[in-house]
Amino acid sequence: MQQTLTVHEILNIKEPAFMIPMSISADNKWLAFCLGGKAAGRRSEGVSMAVEGTTQWVCNMETGHAFPVAPNGNSSWAGVWSPDGRTLAFYADIDGKACLWLWDSKENELKKASDLIVCPFFGFEKPIWSKDGQYIIVKSLPSEGLSEDFYSVTDEDILLPPNHKPKVYTTMIDENAGSNIDNDSWVNRYRADIRKINIDTGTSTLLCSGLRPVGMELSKDGLSLAFTSCSGEERVESQQNNYDLWICSLDSGDSPRCVAGDIRMNYGLTFSWGDKHSIYYTTSGPLADGGLWHVDTYTGKVELLYQNENNHLGHDNEPPKPFNDGKVALVVNGKLWCFSHDSGELEEIIINGERIVVAGFPVTLDDEILLQTHNPHGSKDGFCKVDLRTGEETTLIDEQAGHLPWYEGGSASGEKTIAYFFQDADQPPALKVFDIQSHNEKTIELNPLSSTQLGTSQLIHWKTDDRELKGALLLPKNIKKTCSCRHSGLCRFDAIREYPVVWAESNKM
């Protein structure tokens, strides 16, 4: 008896959550990833609209066994492994409010790290482990509470009393409102304290308050935290967000200090530590110069290293990637670039074939960088490794399937392993684990649909006016006829040109 695909199965396809990065344990045994969904009931305190309904999963990459670590929570997300690879730190609302939780992979035990209410807004705002694994840095509930913009409308808000006056939101400027209107009130959804939590005692230490932190990164020596604080839109209707760059010490007790102000960025993410006194950043947005900048946190000097109006280096999510020898790798405009801090020159590293560079993983090896690529002509996605000294390229994966970049939650890399989601027109999302040394690959099915439930797919090409278009067509199973048109006289491909969605006839015809 042939199986049929049900509506329930379609609606419950497991897909990666948007912009929540994966994490691979230091021992290359465990993968942490997040799946999207919709939470039941009212949103918990500290759970923003951006992460509602997400579910934190882990996968044993040796056995392929995958499971959620917080099944009793409505929302759980942003899992990051400890430096020793044993413990996963993540956010969850198991007790009705968002808190930091720990899952022990050896004992299979779950415990709350602290009663502190956390409030990261975006999924990429993850917990940060200290180098010794004794503390975790989080964004927590500010003393004045969260703004209304932190939450979105819930189902309960729809059931209002008859005399309730609805709130009206508009993007238009009220010229009669005067000068008292706050055009940047939306940025208060980022307002939070920054604290470090002792995982042994559950106590927390305040590092910073009164700001709107978004991007955060620990210095390579583990002594300082750099973070961006959103100051709002540069001017009304400019769509240009500005950030200040701050650093704070984890142990000295010194007050946080701003080292660069009014930086044009979209999400406040495109900065990275070099050595213990260096931070590199690029600017992005409609008013940004698209340059590469350097901050000396010791002297306070802010320097523009590179700017070219014909080569804008701005990117929403890809930060510069500094190497120990003074080189800085940048992925932008579908290309890989290498800037030499010593010579001040920017050089393009040519990638073979017709591939474009989609993303570059955070640097883990000296002089080498791992890239995600896409071939728009062959409809292939893949991974390659590039030596910045020689330009030598090693192709690791090149397949006709869809991949998501690491910053969208679709992939992760360790020193020995690449893990990534892949899917095709006739294949639901699944995980693949790839060994960089042996090139052995393992598929981990999250949506075990039978092949008899799905049809076959075809890549199709057609022209509309002066444009050449292409797409994927999923045909019903057991197809007998290849020409089926809703209008007589048109073959299937002609019909596709005239009507965007056309299904070939099934075996019932």
Side-chain angles (χ1 to χ4, degrees):
M1 182 177 179
Q2 294 182 344
Q3 293 178 310
T4 58
L5 194 62
T6 66
V7 173
H8 181 269
E9 287 172 320
I10 295 174
L11 294 178
N12 286 277
I13 292 290
K14 296 181 178 66
E15 297 182 297
F18 181 60
M19 292 185 73
I20 304 181
M22 298 179 177
S23 177
I24 294 178
S25 62
D27 58 7
N28 282 280
K29 182 178 180 179
W30 290 95
L31 171 69
F33 61 96
C34 205
L35 298 180
K38 181 174 176 58
R42 191 172 186 86
R43 184 178 300 113
S44 303
E45 186 173 14
V47 177
S48 78
M49 66 178 89
V51 298
E52 179 191 17
T54 55
T55 307
Q56 182 65 60
W57 283 60
V58 295
C59 173
N60 185 314
M61 294 190 292
E62 296 176 357
T63 65
H65 180 47
F67 53 93
V69 292
N72 295 327
N74 280 330
S75 303
S76 54
W77 71 101
V80 180
W81 293 102
S82 58
D84 64 4
R86 173 170 176 165
T87 306
L88 183 75
F90 66 100
Y91 302 129
D93 63 350
I94 296 174
D95 293 338
K97 58 183 180 180
C99 294
L100 179 69
W101 288 78
L102 303 174
W103 180 75
D104 188 309
S105 62
K106 289 188 176 180
E107 303 297 332
N108 191 22
E109 290 181 352
L110 181 66
K111 73 171 184 178
K112 187 190 293 185
S114 169
D115 287 326
L116 189 71
I117 300 178
V118 298
C119 60
F121 183 81
F122 294 107
F124 54 69
E125 297 179 78
K126 58 190 178 183
I128 298 176
W129 286 88
S130 63
K131 294 292 185 179
D132 60 9
Q134 296 299 307
Y135 297 90
I136 300 174
I137 301 166
V138 301
K139 284 178 56 175
S140 67
L141 189 73
S143 57
E144 66 271 27
L146 296 172
S147 72
E148 291 184 7
D149 286 317
F150 191 82
Y151 304 102
S152 64
V153 177
T154 65
D155 293 338
E156 293 182 18
D157 295 324
I158 298 175
L159 302 176
L160 301 172
N163 60 349
H164 181 86
K165 184 178 180 180
K167 295 180 179 179
V168 178
Y169 298 90
T170 178
T171 58
M172 301 297 293
I173 298 176
D174 185 356
E175 298 179 353
N176 300 318
S179 60
N180 295 325
I181 186 170
D182 184 3
N183 292 308
D184 286 333
S185 62
W186 61 270
V187 301
N188 286 327
R189 63 186 181 179
Y190 304 144
R191 191 176 293 279
D193 295 340
I194 300 178
R195 293 179 176 268
K196 68 174 185 178
I197 297 174
N198 186 311
I199 64 171
D200 291 329
T201 65
T203 57
S204 66
T205 303
L206 180 66
L207 298 177
C208 178
S209 63
L211 297 175
R212 305 182 184 103
V214 182
M216 299 195 300
E217 183 178 327
L218 193 66
S219 61
K220 293 181 179 179
D221 60 10
L223 300 179
S224 301
L225 179 76
F227 64 92
T228 52
S229 176
C230 187
S231 56
E233 197 173 20
E234 182 163 326
R235 63 174 183 261
V236 176
E237 291 187 327
S238 69
Q239 299 296 308
Q240 178 64 65
N241 296 333
N242 283 5
Y243 292 81
D244 299 326
L245 180 63
W246 291 70
I247 60 171
C248 66
S249 171
L250 297 190
D251 299 312
S252 70
D254 294 340
S255 299
R257 56 193 178 95
C258 180
V259 295
D262 296 325
I263 302 173
R264 291 163 172 165
M265 291 184 184
N266 282 333
Y267 289 106
L269 295 178
T270 53
F271 69 94
S272 295
W273 283 94
D275 59 32
K276 63 180 180 180
H277 295 307
S278 292
I279 298 177
Y280 295 87
Y281 69 84
T282 55
T283 60
S284 60
L287 302 181
D289 55 25
L292 174 64
W293 293 73
H294 174 260
V295 180
D296 187 318
T297 62
Y298 183 76
T299 64
K301 181 180 179 181
V302 180
E303 179 184 10
L304 176 61
L305 299 179
Y306 178 87
Q307 181 184 3
N308 187 322
E309 61 181 13
N310 297 319
N311 190 14
H312 196 288
L313 299 179
H315 196 290
D316 285 353
N317 305 288
E318 281 276 352
K321 298 169 175 59
F323 288 79
N324 293 330
D325 60 359
K327 291 187 176 69
V328 182
L330 302 110
V331 173
V332 67
N333 300 323
K335 299 178 181 180
L336 173 64
W337 305 88
C338 184
F339 176 83
S340 172
H341 200 160
D342 297 330
S343 67
E345 296 180 354
L346 183 72
E347 176 188 5
E348 180 185 352
I349 307 297
I350 303 298
I351 303 301
N352 296 328
E354 298 179 311
R355 292 174 296 173
I356 61 174
V357 182
V358 176
F361 285 87
V363 174
T364 57
L365 300 174
D366 290 341
D367 301 312
E368 288 187 338
I369 186 170
L370 180 66
L371 304 174
Q372 285 186 265
T373 61
H374 171 65
N375 186 336
H377 301 287
S379 299
K380 289 185 176 182
D381 286 0
F383 298 80
C384 70
K385 187 169 55 175
V386 176
D387 189 316
L388 294 181
R389 295 170 301 178
T390 64
E392 182 181 357
E393 175 191 341
T394 304
T395 298
L396 301 174
I397 300 169
D398 191 33
E399 60 186 359
Q400 193 163 304
H403 301 166
L404 289 174
W406 66 266
Y407 50 78
E408 290 187 10
S411 54
S413 173
E415 291 187 2
K416 301 179 181 179
T417 308
I418 301 172
Y420 63 100
F421 276 95
F422 82 105
Q423 68 180 61
D424 206 345
D426 56 357
Q427 298 180 39
L431 278 170
K432 279 191 178 181
V433 176
F434 179 85
D435 187 294
I436 295 176
Q437 297 298 324
S438 67
H439 288 206
N440 290 332
E441 192 174 67
K442 178 186 298 182
T443 300
I444 300 167
E445 297 289 353
L446 299 175
N447 298 289
L449 300 179
S450 169
S451 59
T452 61
Q453 295 174 271
L454 298 173
T456 58
S457 64
Q458 293 182 8
L459 290 177
I460 57 175
H461 299 77
W462 69 99
K463 291 184 178 180
T464 300
D465 297 327
D466 296 329
R467 293 194 305 161
E468 290 190 5
L469 304 176
K470 61 182 178 180
L473 185 68
L474 181 61
L475 306 174
K477 62 181 181 179
N478 301 325
I479 184 172
K480 289 185 178 180
K481 297 180 66 177
T482 59
C483 180
S484 62
C485 307
R486 295 181 180 178
H487 295 265
S488 60
L490 293 176
C491 74
R492 175 164 50 87
F493 295 103
D494 287 333
I496 292 170
R497 184 174 64 239
E498 299 295 333
Y499 304 96
V501 180
V502 175
W503 287 88
E505 292 177 81
S506 69
N507 58 340
K508 294 182 180 179
M509 292 295 293

